[in-house]
Amino acid sequence: MAEDLRVLIVDDDFHVARLHAAYVDSVAGFMALAPAGSVSQALQAIHSLRPDLVLLDVYLPDGSGLDLLGQLDVDAVMLTAASDAQSIKVALRRGALGYMLKPFTAESLSQQLRSYARYRRILGQQTAVDQTTIERAKRSLIPGDVTPSAKPRSATEAAVLESLLPGEQYSAAEVAERVGVSRATAQRYLSSLADDAAVEIQLRYGSTGRPEHRYGIPG
């Protein structure tokens, strides 16, 4: 199973940071690190923990998150109450992959994170890409902007998709058994189908251990 994407939340409000961390941990494939409450703490955490994604506030006690953004060599999404156009323009100019205004719901952040995961998978599938792939990766960052692909599907991919019954959720191992392929093959095709929004990913928590990824047809 692929490692969860590690997310650092930078917010000076401890309770808000804890809430957002819970939101992150509820999304399949993501794990929240201990939050940072300032620019200095964020720089230290990024250096030592090497997160995949930073969720960054603008208003921090020892500086601006926008200034910090310009120093980072890591993917970042702004989570902030700063609704002025200038802040938004600066954030996008300095490389923010998304901009979410507080307050927002757990589902809104979940959609943003799932969009980011699609973006990572699309660009991680090959070393060289064409313009179509670049545009697809860019569109994938916009929550709700991905529609099921009309591209031709291979026989195995079609079989994986057809094995999923509406209203049911399956593990990769269960799909592999239903289709008659290896678990790794089923996982690869399920990830591709998730990129195209043909399949959705959810978490199922057991009594012990890490939550299990479950796959199903979007409702």
Side-chain angles (χ1 to χ4, degrees), residues 9-13 35-39 41-42 60-62:
I9 297 163
V10 183
D11 196 303
D12 66 333
D13 188 318
S38 67
V39 169
Q41 290 177 11
L60 297 170
D62 57 345

Side-chain angles (χ1 to χ4, degrees), residues 48-199:
S48 60
L49 301 177
R50 303 293 182 185
D52 299 289
L53 177 66
V54 175
L55 302 181
L56 179 60
D57 196 2
V58 169
Y59 304 120
L60 297 170
D62 57 345
S64 168
L66 294 174
D67 293 335
L68 174 60
L69 178 63
Q71 304 176 49
L72 300 183
D73 185 24
V74 61
D75 292 339
V77 170
M78 306 304 296
L79 305 185
T80 180
S83 60
D84 60 290
Q86 182 61 23
S87 292
I88 297 167
K89 289 191 293 184
V90 170
L92 297 178
R93 185 186 310 138
R94 294 180 180 176
L97 296 179
Y99 200 104
M100 295 186 64
L101 290 175
K102 299 176 181 177
F104 48 80
T105 65
E107 178 57 28
S108 294
L109 182 55
S110 175
Q111 290 178 4
Q112 183 72 68
L113 293 177
R114 292 198 298 268
S115 295
Y116 173 70
R118 286 195 296 269
Y119 164 81
R120 295 262 307 207
R121 288 195 295 266
I122 290 169
L123 292 183
Q125 291 171 352
Q126 47 196 329
T127 56
V129 299
D130 57 18
Q131 190 64 42
T132 299
T133 303
I134 294 171
E135 297 304 321
R136 182 170 167 238
K138 288 164 57 180
R139 288 195 304 271
S140 73
L141 285 169
I142 304 174
D145 198 47
V146 178
T147 56
S149 173
K151 70 179 182 182
R153 302 194 184 280
S154 69
T156 302
E157 187 176 48
V160 168
L161 185 58
E162 290 169 3
S163 74
L164 304 176
L165 299 178
E168 300 292 332
Q169 299 289 329
Y170 302 89
S171 69
E174 290 169 342
V175 172
E177 183 175 357
R178 291 169 66 87
V179 178
V181 298
S182 69
R183 185 189 179 284
T185 296
Q187 181 76 65
R188 185 171 67 253
Y189 282 108
L190 286 165
S191 294
S192 177
L193 289 164
D195 291 341
D196 289 337
V199 165

